[in-house]
Every structure is written in C-alpha cells, then in structure tokens.
C-alpha cells in the first residue's frame, strides 16, 4: 500500500495528515476553511486518494498559512508515498469542464518541481478562501511533491467553478500519473531526479 503519514507543527499551523494513494477517494477532517475542504473532498474523490486530516491553523490572521502549509504537508506525503518513481506512469494530463469553466492540468512526477499556473479570478475570495491561495497551494504541493505541474483555466466566469475545475483536473492527472507501469523507469537516463 502506497501511504504515508506526516506531522508538522509550527507557530502558525499544527497538521497531522495521512495519505493513501490506493484509497477509495475519501477525505476526512477539516482545514478550517469550508470551501477548501470542499476542494479537498473533490480532489480525493477524483484522484481516488484517501486523506485523513487533523489540523489547526491561525485562521484569525487569514487563511494563508493554513492553505500553504497544507500544500506543503500533502506534497511531502505524496513524494514519500510515490517513492523512487520507478514503478509509475509518471505523466498525466486531463481536462475538466465545470459548467462555463474549463480547467486543464498536465504534470510530470519527475522529482523536478515547477509550477505554471494560469488562471484569473474575478473576486477576492470564495467563502473564506482567498482566491490567491489556490496558486500558493499548488506551488507548495508541487515543490514538496517533486512535481512539474502545469495548471490552466482555458475560460470561465464563476470563481467557484474555475477553482473546482482546476482541482478536479489535477486530481485526474495525478490518478493517471501514479498508475503502475510494470517497473520500467520512464526516463532515457534510467533514473528520475
């Protein structure tokens, strides 16, 4: 079973997260930001990953530390659960329509982290989630997960729909990328780093 457990405590957040890449698509717990919990639930359902989360953050400041630190911990757990990457398909790409919005993700679990994020939002927030934190979450996740991550909204008007399309597109791309590939390293140099 490809699963990991991470505990991380700072002066801003206290996070205990369990990730199972071969799960049933369940999300339990809360980060304290309702709309982001909704995105995490969608992420789990569409990736097939299980995430158990116990978390406290300094939400009296704003949601920044909580969302970024959750991305860090989820990325660390993901990198450890994937392991040496020699048995996975490595690449994944997916489009997701959400009403008027169309989200796209293409990624490479290469060990070389990078983020390209191309999405614009109309409003400052959706619920208590600052829209600017969507990019920060994906940056933290990609850099701690060792993922080259490209995320794009091709078009859309409703920020809720745009964000949800992006999370579902990332989830499906990850689901493709972590599939077993019969033990062949997909690299001409014979290793991923």
């Amino acid at each position: 079973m490809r699963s990991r457990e991470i505990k991380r405590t700072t002066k801003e957040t206290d996070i205990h997260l369990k990730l199972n890449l071969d799960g049933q698509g369940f999300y339990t717990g809360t980060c304290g930001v309702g709309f982001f919990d909704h995105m995490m639930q969608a992420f789990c359902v569409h990736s097939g990953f299980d995430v158990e989360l116990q978390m406290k953050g300094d939400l009296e400041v704003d949601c920044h530390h909580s969302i970024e630190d959750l991305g860090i911990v989820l990325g660390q757990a993901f990198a450890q659960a994937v392991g040496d990457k020699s048995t996975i398909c490595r690449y994944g790409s997916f489009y997701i329509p959400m009403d008027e919005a169309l989200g796209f993700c293409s990624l490479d679990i290469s060990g070389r982290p990078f983020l390209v994020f191309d999405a614009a939002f109309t409003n400052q927030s959706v619920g208590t989630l600052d829209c600017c934190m969507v990019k920060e979450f994906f940056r933290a996740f990609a850099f701690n997960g060792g993922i080259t991550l490209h995320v794009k909204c091709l078009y859309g008007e409703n920020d809720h729909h745009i964000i949800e399309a992006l999370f579902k597109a990332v989830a499906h791309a990850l689901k493709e990328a972590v599939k077993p590939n019969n033990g062949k390293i997909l690299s001409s140099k014979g290793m991923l780093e």
Side-chain angles (χ1 to χ4, degrees), residues 120-139:
F121 303 109
T122 303
N123 300 292
Q124 180 178 337
S125 62
V126 175
T128 56
L129 174 70
D130 294 338
C131 289
C132 66
M133 290 311 301
V134 176
K135 180 177 181 179
E136 295 306 316
F137 171 80
F138 283 127
R139 184 195 323 273

Side-chain angles (χ1 to χ4, degrees), residues 165-178:
L166 297 179
F167 269 84
K168 289 178 178 178
V170 170
H172 278 276
L174 285 169
K175 186 176 184 177
E176 286 183 6
V178 300

Side-chain angles (χ1 to χ4, degrees), residues 100-105 117-121 151-158 161-163 165-166:
E100 87 296 343
L102 183 63
F104 173 72
C105 173
F117 185 89
D118 185 3
F121 303 109
V151 183
K152 180 177 179 65
C153 175
L154 283 80
Y155 44 80
E157 297 174 2
N158 182 295
H161 296 163
I162 291 169
I163 295 168
L166 297 179

